Every structure is written in C-alpha cells, then in structure tokens.
Amino acid sequence: EVKLLESGGGLVQPGGSLRLSCAASGFTFTDFYMSWIRQPPGKAPEWLGVIRNKANGYTTEYNPSVKGRFTISRDNTQNILYLQMNTLRAEDTAIYYCYNNYYWGQGVMVTVSS
Amino acid sequence: DVVMTQTPVSLSVSLGGQVSISCRSSQSLVHNNGNTYLSWYLQKPGQSPQLLIYKVSNRFSGISDRFSGSGSGTDFTLKISRVEPDDLGVYYCGQGTQYPWTFGGGTKLELK
C-alpha cells in the first residue's frame, strides 16, 4: 500500500522558515518523480515543484511563484521528500501535499501569521 | 503558464444521473513525446485529492468505469455516469505537459 505522510507544518511568523517532510512507503521511491503541491483553504491546488527520479538525475523544477524561496530535496536512503520554505509570507498559508504522480499525501497545514 | 479553465463551476445532479465537466487549456497539452498529460482528480470533503484519470482517458487503479475521460489538444471532458453519493465533491483537471504544472479552478458536484 502506498503511503505518503507529511509532517513539519505549523504556525510560523512572516519572514520565517519551515521544513516539511514527506515519508514515503509502498513503492520504489527512486523510480518516481515527487512533487509538492499546496492548497489554500477553499481554493484550487497550486503545484510548487518537482524533483525527478533516479533515471533523470534527481533534477528539480519550480513554480516561478516560489522559485528562490522554496527548495525541494529527497533522501533516497530513507525515502523522505523535503520542502524547505524560506522568507514565508501570509499568502503561503495552505495545506501542503506531497504527490508521486499517482497518490497524494494527507497534507499538512502551514499557517503564516504574526 | 498554461491556464486551465473548468466549466461549470458547480453542478447539481440526481443520484443515478450523468454529468459532464469541461476543461480547456490555454495551450495545447500535447507533449513533445506525443503524450498528453491531462489528469482529473476528485477531492471529497475533508480529504486530499485523489487521481481518477491520467493521460486524458486512462482510469487509475480502482477507479470505476462510470468515470471516463476524453478530449485532445486543448479541450477535455470528464463524464460520470450513474452518479453515486460517494462521487460528490470537487473535481479538478490538471496538466503536467508544461512547467509549471497547473490546475483548473474546480467543479463542485452536489446533489440536486
């Protein structure tokens, strides 16, 4: 059974940083592109970026809306996907999901507020 | 960015009925490799989105054949037949052909 379990969310002040994790199991992690997607309450999802699979050198692509502030990485020995978020703004408040092109995690809430 | 436009925004249906949701993209979704990366997702209340259809018309594992996807280029449709209570929620189309990947605004399916 595929499982994607995000963690690391919470309340952070504007300008702060946060690192999200996504623990993956039930599939061969290195074979899959892994993405982060966020969804502000009541709004449509927004794709943030992707880290490719082993065959494609684990390279990354980002949405211009977060490029330079957010960084995606992966630990292929522990099957964990990361999202490092810096210089956070109120508009970054959302549920953050990891996604392997087929399955979504349950999501983790990030609230940016003073 | 590729803009994904879904219509209608909301839809009321009777149980057992049939509905269609339209998704149009601002650019062709045909990738250089010949594939068209258009997917459909359902987000039930309080849950994460789940994949229903990928590459226009391929049903994901465990998805009922009551769900069917069609279309090409910039114009796509999701059809749901014999609607059941578990089908209610918000449907999103999404494209993975061009970066950044983008989603439609959603179509809320409700009971009449």
Side-chain angles (χ1 to χ4, degrees):
Chain A
E1 180 192 5
V2 171
K3 289 186 179 178
L4 296 168
L5 186 62
E6 301 92 340
S7 61
L11 176 64
V12 61
Q13 292 191 336
S17 297
L18 209 56
R19 189 177 81 159
L20 305 183
S21 301
C22 170
S25 61
F27 62 101
T28 305
F29 187 63
T30 53
D31 285 349
F32 283 75
Y33 284 38
M34 296 295 301
S35 290
W36 286 98
I37 297 169
R38 69 183 177 186
Q39 187 175 32
K43 295 189 176 180
E46 178 189 24
W47 176 84
L48 300 178
V50 65
I51 186 164
R52 295 181 177 90
N53 57 9
K54 181 178 181 179
N56 289 281
Y58 302 126
T59 52
T60 54
E61 300 285 345
Y62 294 95
N63 193 319
S65 66
V66 301
K67 191 173 184 178
R69 292 194 303 127
F70 289 11
T71 301
I72 298 173
S73 60
R74 59 194 297 166
D75 181 336
N76 297 303
T77 61
Q78 296 198 65
N79 292 354
I80 300 175
L81 177 72
Y82 296 105
L83 178 66
Q84 176 67 42
M85 303 185 292
N86 297 330
T87 321
L88 284 162
R89 309 163 180 162
E91 53 265 36
D92 295 318
T93 295
I95 298 174
Y96 285 71
Y97 299 99
C98 60
Y99 176 59
N100 75 349
N101 280 10
Y102 296 96
Y103 293 93
W104 299 61
Q106 89 290 344
V108 64
M109 186 70 203
V110 171
T111 302
V112 184
S113 174
S114 55
Chain B
D1 297 4
V2 178
V3 177
M4 306 296 288
T5 303
Q6 282 182 241
T7 53
V9 172
S10 64
L11 208 43
S12 293
V13 63
S14 301
L15 294 178
Q18 178 174 298
V19 296
S20 292
I21 300 171
S22 171
C23 176
R24 289 186 173 168
S25 57
S26 61
Q27 301 172 37
S28 172
L29 297 186
V30 180
H31 193 275
N32 290 340
N33 64 14
N35 290 315
T36 299
Y37 296 101
L38 186 283
S39 298
W40 289 96
Y41 306 89
L42 166 60
Q43 187 169 30
K44 300 176 185 178
Q47 295 186 20
S48 310
Q50 62 179 100
L51 178 64
L52 300 174
I53 301 282
Y54 63 95
K55 286 197 286 185
V56 181
S57 58
N58 296 274
R59 274 186 300 275
F60 186 49
S61 175
I63 300 303
S64 168
D65 60 5
R66 298 183 299 101
F67 293 88
S68 63
S70 62
S72 63
T74 62
D75 202 348
F76 304 93
T77 301
L78 175 70
K79 289 186 180 176
I80 313 167
S81 60
R82 305 185 305 280
V83 169
E84 300 179 356
D86 199 43
D87 300 337
L88 304 181
V90 181
Y91 288 80
Y92 295 100
C93 60
Q95 67 84 19
T97 293
Q98 186 178 129
Y99 293 114
W101 298 350
T102 48
F103 293 89
T107 296
K108 187 172 185 179
L109 184 63
E110 300 173 303
L111 271 182
K112 193 175 290 183

